[in-house]
Amino acid sequence: MTDTGPPPVPYRAEVSTTTARIQADHGDLAAGEETDEVVSIAGRLMLRRDQGKLAFGVLQDGTGRIQLFAMARLTPDFDGFTSLSIGDWILVRGIVMNTKRGELSVRVDEWTVLAHAQRPFPDKWHGISDPDIRYRQRYVDLWVTEEARTAFRRRSAIVASMRGRLAEKGFVEVETPMLHPIPGGALAKPFVTHHNALDTDLYLRIAPELYLKRLVVGGMEKVFEIGRVFRNEGMSTRHNPEFTMLELYWAYADHADMMTLTEELIAAAAIDVTGSTTIDYDGRVVDLSTPWRRATMEELILEHAGVDIGLDTPIDELRARCDEFGVATEAHYGPGKLIVEIYEKTTEGKLWGPVFVTDYPVEVSPLSREHRDRPGYTERFEAIIAGRELCNGFSELTDPAVQRERFLAQEAGRDAGDDEAMMVDDDYIRALEYGLPPTAGLGIGVDRLVMLLTDTTTIRDVVLFPTLRPESRSGGHHETDVDDGGGVSGAFD
């Protein structure tokens, strides 16, 4: 039997350096000069140009690109080299040199195919214009779109920046369950699954909050987790059903301490990845230097919507204001919920920021501690930058009896049709009964922070494999169907 498939490839490759290292070590090599350094590099063949007894190629690895210089008299199987397909993975061994035209190169003294590209790559490697192909075939996008590679390198640097600074401040990184018997920690609709061995329904976590605070009860005074959370809700340029959160809890601190920590973490991340706290986003400048403005929700509504409202405003007047601004409401909404709906409709999108929006009503903040000076409000804040919520934090509610009352109020809302309301978590209340010291908490949307620091307006550009409609069986694809109108209201709580 004749084997008509591609020839076999090796099981491993001996690589001695990278294209970036060669550029750094030999960037000042004079035109026409050769070194005696022999290197082995591997990557994809991106371009190839044949000129009789000479052939030029461009090899790209995970750090950059470099030219390959092949000569018929020195390169083994020169005809085979000039027959390589664009996109083939190859290993090249040879000296570092500079061509007469001044192009730093690796001379192809030996070469081996590591993998054959059996599908053609798009449009001469200049990038992909079809967003559906970009998001569905990220393995192609990363090779041909420099902006994609840059965004995901920055994403890694942003996470590393926050992780490193939290470690310096004594925070301990932990992992908590993703399968929860009771969904909690945020106002959101969960995904439900079934565990066969236990014959019980479980929920993909919508937040790690309640487990992290159990750890504070257990004596871990500074804890954080960076991980996926899941919300069975709408999709938009800012919302994906699974996204990444940084959540942290700090014993003996309050919401004011947490605002200071928040602005420090984000300003430092900006410096680490962009070199400055002043960045460009969507054609406008954002100044992330500290301190950031602090203002109550009601102050901001007055500034941007021109109405003076609060919890003491008659509910009929609040409903009339909702009608005036085109805010959809439900019969079970109380004054606090109506105020938040007005804020989100009229004000949030206008806040270029950064600004900490403070003093959220108790009604929409079931896990937050009541404000020490304003009954009916909580010591809760959200950081708004470029018209969107970036993070949510508060002084934590520590009283188990009050927490049970809040859970019961949420459960009543759930019975009234609010499928984002919380359930009663008896074990969490039991944990509080053992004593939770004064504690502050914070949740930062990592994807949104990456969007901000990469000047990206859609979350799908910063999530490696965003959720998409399934492809048709014929191998075609659906157009991306992103609801640009907003999707979920309140991504974190």
Side-chain angles (χ1 to χ4, degrees), residues 1-55:
M1 179 180 292
T2 302
D3 184 5
T4 59
V9 297
Y11 281 85
R12 69 184 301 273
E14 193 70 46
V15 179
S16 66
T17 189
T18 65
T19 61
R21 175 54 59 189
I22 295 171
Q23 298 280 1
D25 291 346
H26 301 286
D28 58 353
L29 198 64
E33 187 177 352
E34 296 183 355
T35 72
D36 57 2
E37 181 178 356
V38 177
V39 297
S40 296
I41 55 173
R44 282 194 192 272
L45 183 66
M46 304 295 286
L47 296 170
R48 198 191 67 243
R49 184 177 76 256
D50 305 332
Q51 295 181 351
K53 299 297 184 180
L54 299 178

Side-chain angles (χ1 to χ4, degrees), residues 61-76:
D61 64 8
T63 67
R65 294 185 175 191
I66 198 163
Q67 179 170 276
L68 303 177
F69 178 67
M71 296 186 290
R73 66 183 180 85
L74 291 178
T75 300

Side-chain angles (χ1 to χ4, degrees), residues 63-140:
T63 67
R65 294 185 175 191
I66 198 163
Q67 179 170 276
L68 303 177
F69 178 67
M71 296 186 290
R73 66 183 180 85
L74 291 178
T75 300
D77 190 10
F78 180 79
D79 291 339
F81 183 82
T82 58
S83 299
L84 287 170
S85 297
I86 301 302
D88 282 349
W89 291 80
I90 57 175
L91 173 71
V92 171
R93 177 178 167 84
I95 64 166
V96 178
M97 56 170 289
N98 204 326
T99 65
K100 293 179 180 180
R101 294 189 176 184
E103 185 69 32
L104 187 64
S105 306
V106 174
R107 193 177 72 192
V108 184
D109 296 335
E110 300 176 29
W111 64 276
T112 305
V113 175
L114 301 178
H116 295 276
Q118 299 179 45
R119 286 178 177 263
F121 278 80
D123 189 28
K124 298 182 182 178
W125 308 89
H126 291 317
I128 302 173
S129 58
D130 184 345
D132 192 78
I133 295 177
R134 287 196 63 201
Y135 305 141
R136 199 177 296 279
Q137 298 181 33
R138 187 70 81 186
Y139 39 84
V140 177

